[in-house]
Amino acid sequence: ELNLKGTDEFINTSVIKNDALELIPKVCGITVNTVHGNENSIEKVFQKFHPLTESMEGAAFLFVCEQEKIPCAQIRAVSNYVERRNKENWNIPLALKNANEKMIEILNAF
């Protein structure tokens, strides 16, 4: 057992002064151990957490940064929506392009 705080919520309270970072919308996201691909699982997770994004590594990243007292921000470019699994709707190249452009803006703002 990992005993990771006794909660299922992590809230990033980091403060990083960066004008480009401040312009990025902040949203509620969740970390999952499986993709939500059917209406029942999607509805359950939306009712409980009201997320706009989901990832599979976000909580681990935030947990390590908190433990090491490292200010952090997760920048996500969305490649697909939480919906019934349909890879035809995914646009990973566009998400990577958008993430790279935004990261360059953020780094140049330091």
Side-chain angles (χ1 to χ4, degrees):
E1 181 175 313
L2 294 176
N3 194 18
L4 293 178
K5 284 195 175 184
T7 182
D8 58 2
E9 286 188 38
F10 290 101
I11 298 173
N12 186 353
T13 58
S14 294
V15 176
I16 300 173
K17 298 292 184 189
N18 182 293
D19 291 339
L21 190 58
E22 289 299 317
L23 295 175
I24 298 173
K26 291 162 185 61
V27 301
C28 175
I30 60 171
T31 298
V32 297
N33 62 359
T34 184
V35 294
H36 290 95
N38 67 63
E39 286 83 7
N40 289 337
S41 67
I42 292 169
E43 182 62 27
K44 283 181 186 177
V45 78
F46 275 110
Q47 289 297 319
K48 186 170 184 179
F49 298 108
H50 311 287
L52 291 179
T53 64
E54 71 178 14
S55 71
M56 298 189 93
E57 63 286 313
F61 170 78
L62 182 55
F63 179 76
V64 169
C65 290
E66 283 184 350
Q67 294 300 300
E68 297 298 319
K69 297 180 178 31
I70 300 169
C72 64
Q74 292 186 52
I75 310 304
R76 298 277 175 184
V78 176
S79 61
N80 57 288
Y81 293 96
V82 179
E83 62 184 2
R84 180 175 264 193
R85 191 173 180 91
N86 181 0
K87 289 185 179 182
E88 297 291 320
N89 289 339
W90 295 10
N91 195 340
I92 295 172
L94 178 61
L96 291 172
K97 176 184 169 290
N98 290 338
N100 285 332
E101 288 175 0
K102 193 53 66 178
M103 288 307 303
I104 290 168
E105 287 178 31
I106 293 166
L107 292 173
N108 285 334
F110 277 112

